[in-house]
Amino acid sequence: MSVVVPVYQGEHTLGDLLEQIVPWTEVTLTPGGRPMVVEEVLLVHDNGPDDSARVIRDLAAKYPFVAGVWLSRNFGQHPATLAGMASSGGEWIVSLDEDGQHDPAAIGGLLDTALDEGATVVYAKPTNAAPHGLLRNVASKGSKWFLARVLSVPDSPDYQSFRLVLGEVGRSLAAYAGSEVYLDVALGWIAGKVSTSPVALREEQGRASGYRLRTLLSHFWRMVLSSGTKGLRMVSLLGVVLAVGGILWAVWVLVSYLFLGNRFPVQGWASTTVILLLGFGAVLFSLGVIAEYVGVAVKTAMGKPPYLIVSDPGSGPLARTQRYPDLESFRSG
């Protein structure tokens, strides 16, 4: 197991987080009785405003399983997570936040879910409200609902930064993902089965969130742009609707004028509206067609692969489903 922690403001929280991970660096059993061990913790320094760099160096010197991953500047949480994935070597990769709201003791439950259901990605599913305040929680749920219902991204309501990913999938993702891709959308491109595991979130440990309104809006917009060409197709659909509306309105105007004796009080008004509807419809439809070609280029720029080759699921990490009643039974074979 590799644990990846993107670090932006971790000066006061990383020490406690590592102490909580220490018990899992020895072979132990998951709640389902499977052996697991955290072999490495990768602290990805994302050049935040505090003294996290010193803390990372101190922790790497104190714990042999800790390593720092140093980014040249601040890139953001998702690129930092991808950098950690690219640097990992575990059969499984766990990503969690630096602020203490993700409990390392829940990692075993994520692994049990992956093995029970044959899932290559497992998201922590909060059993309680996230500790961010009502407005941000409502906005988060609303944006994920929009993605799921309007843009056809079915897994978006489950997106969480506390996630378990099959190692070879995570490292492949880090190898091809473009700079503007939303990490979880990109995971959905190649993940086999995606599942969730219930986890209780904890309060952040005494520091304000690094996300501001502008950052959150940028985060949402990146998620929309990464979600595919459904939004582009809506432009074409709007154009078709306006064009059909223009044709129907033209028919009604003609029938009213010839057979019903209706006269419009302003000369030329009816024909003007017909021309506008047809014209706007044609323009929007044409833009939608052009946007489809742009969408192909966008997918290429974001690194969406046509395929991904993985190891045999029947002999790799997903096949290790054997349970043990206790550690002695595991060690005795």
Side-chain angles (χ1 to χ4, degrees):
M1 189 82 67
S2 297
V3 175
V4 172
V5 184
V7 179
Y8 181 71
Q9 295 183 91
E11 178 182 0
H12 302 296
T13 59
L14 283 177
D16 289 340
L17 178 62
L18 265 294
E19 287 181 6
Q20 295 168 27
I21 293 176
V22 166
W24 310 105
T25 59
E26 299 290 337
V27 178
T28 185
L29 296 182
T30 68
R34 277 92 173 218
M36 62 161 277
V37 60
V38 173
E39 294 185 334
E40 61 179 355
V41 177
L42 301 169
L43 304 178
V44 186
H45 183 243
D46 198 24
N47 291 272
D50 63 357
D51 200 16
S52 292
R54 175 188 57 80
V55 176
I56 291 174
R57 295 186 189 102
D58 291 345
L59 292 172
K62 180 178 180 181
Y63 299 110
F65 56 85
V66 173
V69 178
W70 305 93
L71 302 185
S72 62
R73 63 170 178 82
N74 174 251
F75 287 92
Q77 183 182 21
H78 284 196
T81 304
L82 286 169
M85 288 181 172
S87 305
S88 69
E91 292 182 332
W92 295 93
I93 302 171
V94 173
S95 66
L96 48 81
D97 289 352
E98 63 185 10
D99 55 16
Q101 68 170 310
H102 299 154
D103 187 355
I107 295 175
L110 300 180
L111 182 58
D112 279 334
T113 298
L115 295 176
D116 287 339
E117 302 184 16
T120 55
V121 178
V122 179
Y123 290 104
K125 189 173 185 62
T127 56
N128 57 324
H132 298 311
L134 178 62
L135 182 60
R136 178 171 167 181
N137 287 342
V138 170
S140 176
K141 289 183 179 179
S143 62
K144 291 176 180 179
W145 177 90
F146 175 82
L147 283 170
R149 302 297 182 184
V150 178
L151 299 182
S152 301
V153 185
D155 296 321
S156 59
D158 298 325
Y159 288 169
Q160 268 281 331
S161 54
F162 192 8
R163 60 176 82 79
L164 173 75
V165 182
L166 189 64
E168 59 185 354
V169 170
R171 284 183 285 275
S172 297
L173 171 67
Y176 70 70
S179 60
E180 293 301 317
V181 71
Y182 192 87
L183 189 155
D184 296 299
V185 173
L187 272 174
W189 292 342
I190 58 171
K193 183 173 182 179
V194 178
S195 190
T196 61
S197 179
V199 170
L201 297 180
R202 305 183 298 187
E203 292 290 331
E204 296 169 330
Q205 294 181 2
R207 73 162 178 80
S209 171
Y211 284 106
R212 300 292 180 263
L213 177 60
R214 179 175 174 274
T215 311
L216 291 171
L217 290 175
S218 175
H219 209 53
F220 169 70
W221 191 239
R222 176 180 290 189
M223 191 159 41
V224 171
L225 294 179
S226 300
S227 63
T229 58
K230 185 73 176 289
L232 302 176
R233 289 171 184 156
M234 292 172 65
V235 175
S236 295
L237 179 61
L238 178 60
V240 171
V241 170
L242 289 177
V244 171
I247 293 172
L248 293 177
W249 176 246
V251 171
W252 167 248
V253 169
L254 185 61
V255 170
S256 298
Y257 187 83
L258 295 178
F259 301 105
L260 302 179
N262 291 336
R263 299 291 188 273
F264 294 96
V266 179
Q267 293 295 319
W269 178 82
S271 59
T272 299
T273 57
V274 169
I275 292 172
L276 287 174
L277 285 171
L278 290 173
F280 279 127
V283 168
L284 288 175
F285 180 76
S286 300
L287 286 175
V289 173
I290 294 171
E292 285 290 330
Y293 288 98
V294 174
V296 174
V298 168
K299 287 181 181 178
T300 302
M302 288 185 177
K304 186 174 182 179
Y307 62 85
L308 177 67
I309 298 174
V310 297
S311 60
D312 180 3
S315 59
L318 284 170
R320 301 193 178 119
T321 57
Q322 184 176 355
R323 302 170 186 265
Y324 298 88
D326 51 52
L327 280 174
E328 290 302 320
S329 298
F330 165 68
R331 292 191 174 105
S332 64

